[in-house]
Amino acid sequence: MTVSKGFNRRAVLALGGASLAAPFIARPGFAQTTLRYGHNNEVASVAGAQADWFAEALGQTSGGDLTVQVFPNSQLGKLQELAEAVSLGTIAFSHNTAGALGSLYQPFAALDTPYLYRDIDHLMAVTDVESPVMQELNEGLIAAANVRVIYAHYFGRRNLTCNKAVMSPTDLEGVKIRAVPFPIYTTAVEGMGAVAVPVDWSEVPTALATGVVQGQENPVNVVLNVKLYEVQSHLMLTGHMSNAEVVVMNEDAWQGMSASEQDAVREAATQTREKATKAILDNEESETQALREQGMTVIGEEDGLDLAAFRESVSQLVDERFGSEYGDLYAKIEQVSA
């Protein structure tokens, strides 16, 4: 495995003018410590809500000694800035895609490879912090970037939205589709037949509304909660990527905790992982129906969507670009039993 060469932990970040000198605020004369958690999601989404659930759970498991202050909606920076902020220690917690964490430690991006997992149970087994794959990746992430994974919850199956019906990769020729600005995601979009346009999540609604891109890909929970149905007419159930959202912590903040405080973080992490995963799983079908009711045309395999063509096209490009680099890791992921 190789360490990403593009990240400099001593780089100076400009996080929207925020004053973030340390990952926590110690209050003199009090036992309580407040830790900062920055993320890019809307509070109404499960990804956003789970940060608040974790904050509440940690307050309880620590007996009130640890408090988490949550900054949603990219208040403290965009995806890349948030990843680097945890590494530098300017915030204690954040969550991100595995692909984004690949900017800190390159092999991590392999977890977001399209069509990688047998099913959701397999995804969750691989991304459990106790799995051999995650333990190995976590050790590398800590060594490379001073960042520790504390839990990962199910984020959903990513599907394509566009302003026209798309049945196969040939229908996306020349169509600009927003991609999460990291290599595994741009590869997925290009493998689907489209022109990948890297756009940070905070800029996606505007990019869709102004025609900078004609489509994007995300789980239905995100599409519904951000009201992308207002600027997108069709939802294609490509299910091309099953994601776990990865919650990370600054390693110095972790090592500065007592054993009981670390146990409190672990317990809060377990509770939140289970709650967030259940919330996504319980609502995927109803949220898809809600998008229909909002006027989106939902296209699945039974409607002529050529899933086999998407799988073949995406998998071929992934293998060309990442097969030699991630092949050993893919084999280890395949061996994890659910």
Side-chain angles (χ1 to χ4, degrees):
M1 293 186 177
T2 59
V3 176
S4 175
K5 298 178 181 178
F7 177 67
N8 180 356
R9 283 186 55 215
R10 290 184 290 273
V12 177
L13 290 179
L15 296 182
S19 176
L20 299 173
F24 60 88
I25 305 169
R27 300 180 179 180
F30 294 86
Q32 188 181 70
T33 295
T34 298
L35 301 115
R36 299 184 179 97
Y37 187 139
H39 66 84
N40 70 312
N41 293 106
E42 297 73 17
V43 176
S45 67
V46 173
Q50 69 83 35
D52 294 324
W53 299 341
F54 172 72
E56 181 181 359
L58 184 55
Q60 294 173 351
T61 59
S62 69
D65 288 343
L66 297 173
T67 299
V68 178
Q69 185 178 8
V70 180
F71 298 85
N73 297 317
S74 300
Q75 292 179 39
L76 303 185
K78 298 179 181 180
L79 283 170
Q80 181 65 39
E81 292 169 330
L82 289 166
E84 293 176 359
V86 178
S87 181
L88 292 167
T90 52
I91 59 177
F93 302 102
S94 188
H95 61 251
N96 225 317
T97 65
L101 292 175
S103 68
L104 302 181
Y105 179 58
Q106 192 170 330
F108 230 98
L111 293 178
D112 275 353
T113 298
Y115 300 114
L116 178 62
Y117 302 101
R118 293 187 292 273
D119 50 33
I120 304 305
D121 288 340
H122 184 215
L123 165 68
M124 298 312 297
V126 170
T127 57
D128 188 306
V129 290
E130 298 300 325
S131 84
V133 169
M134 188 61 91
Q135 286 182 340
E136 180 179 332
L137 289 174
N138 211 358
E139 289 173 5
L141 184 63
I142 292 168
N146 205 40
V147 172
R148 168 184 294 269
V149 175
I150 56 171
Y151 65 98
H153 68 85
Y154 179 51
F155 186 51
R157 286 179 287 261
R158 300 183 79 93
N159 297 297
L160 175 70
T161 69
C162 196
N163 278 330
K164 68 170 187 174
V166 174
M167 297 298 184
S168 72
T170 57
D171 294 329
L172 285 174
E173 184 176 356
V175 178
K176 294 180 180 179
I177 299 295
R178 177 263 178 169
V180 179
F182 297 100
I184 198 73
Y185 283 87
T186 56
T187 296
V189 170
E190 290 171 2
M192 294 172 76
V195 177
V197 180
V199 178
D200 187 82
W201 174 244
S202 62
E203 301 166 358
V204 169
T206 300
L208 289 168
T210 59
V212 172
V213 293
Q214 287 79 56
Q216 63 86 59
E217 47 86 49
N218 252 307
V220 292
N221 177 263
V222 174
V223 175
L224 180 63
N225 280 288
V226 189
K227 299 183 178 180
L228 293 185
Y229 51 79
E230 294 180 348
V231 290
Q232 296 278 267
S233 60
H234 287 70
L235 168 68
M236 276 59 66
L237 300 178
T238 50
H240 52 274
M241 192 181 289
S242 294
N243 280 134
E245 193 83 349
V246 185
V247 181
V248 294
M249 180 178 184
N250 174 264
E251 179 66 7
D252 292 335
W254 172 261
Q255 294 299 337
M257 289 181 166
S258 66
S260 62
E261 288 173 332
Q262 290 179 351
D263 286 342
V265 171
R266 291 189 186 96
E267 178 58 29
T270 298
Q271 292 178 16
T272 309
R273 167 184 164 91
E274 293 174 355
K275 183 175 181 179
T277 296
K278 185 176 187 301
I280 294 286
L281 286 171
D282 286 350
N283 293 315
E284 276 186 320
E285 186 173 338
S286 63
E287 287 171 339
T288 301
Q289 179 58 33
L291 290 171
R292 289 189 179 95
E293 294 170 0
Q294 290 294 339
M296 289 195 87
T297 300
V298 178
I299 299 174
E301 194 168 19
E302 67 278 8
D303 305 302
L305 187 67
D306 193 346
L307 291 181
F310 279 110
R311 179 184 291 272
E312 181 180 358
S313 180
V314 171
S315 298
Q316 180 178 337
L317 190 59
V318 167
D319 186 60
E320 290 174 6
R321 293 184 179 177
F322 301 105
S324 60
E325 183 176 5
Y326 297 149
D328 290 345
L329 186 53
Y330 289 155
K332 293 177 182 178
I333 289 171
E334 175 65 26
Q335 291 169 7
V336 173
S337 58

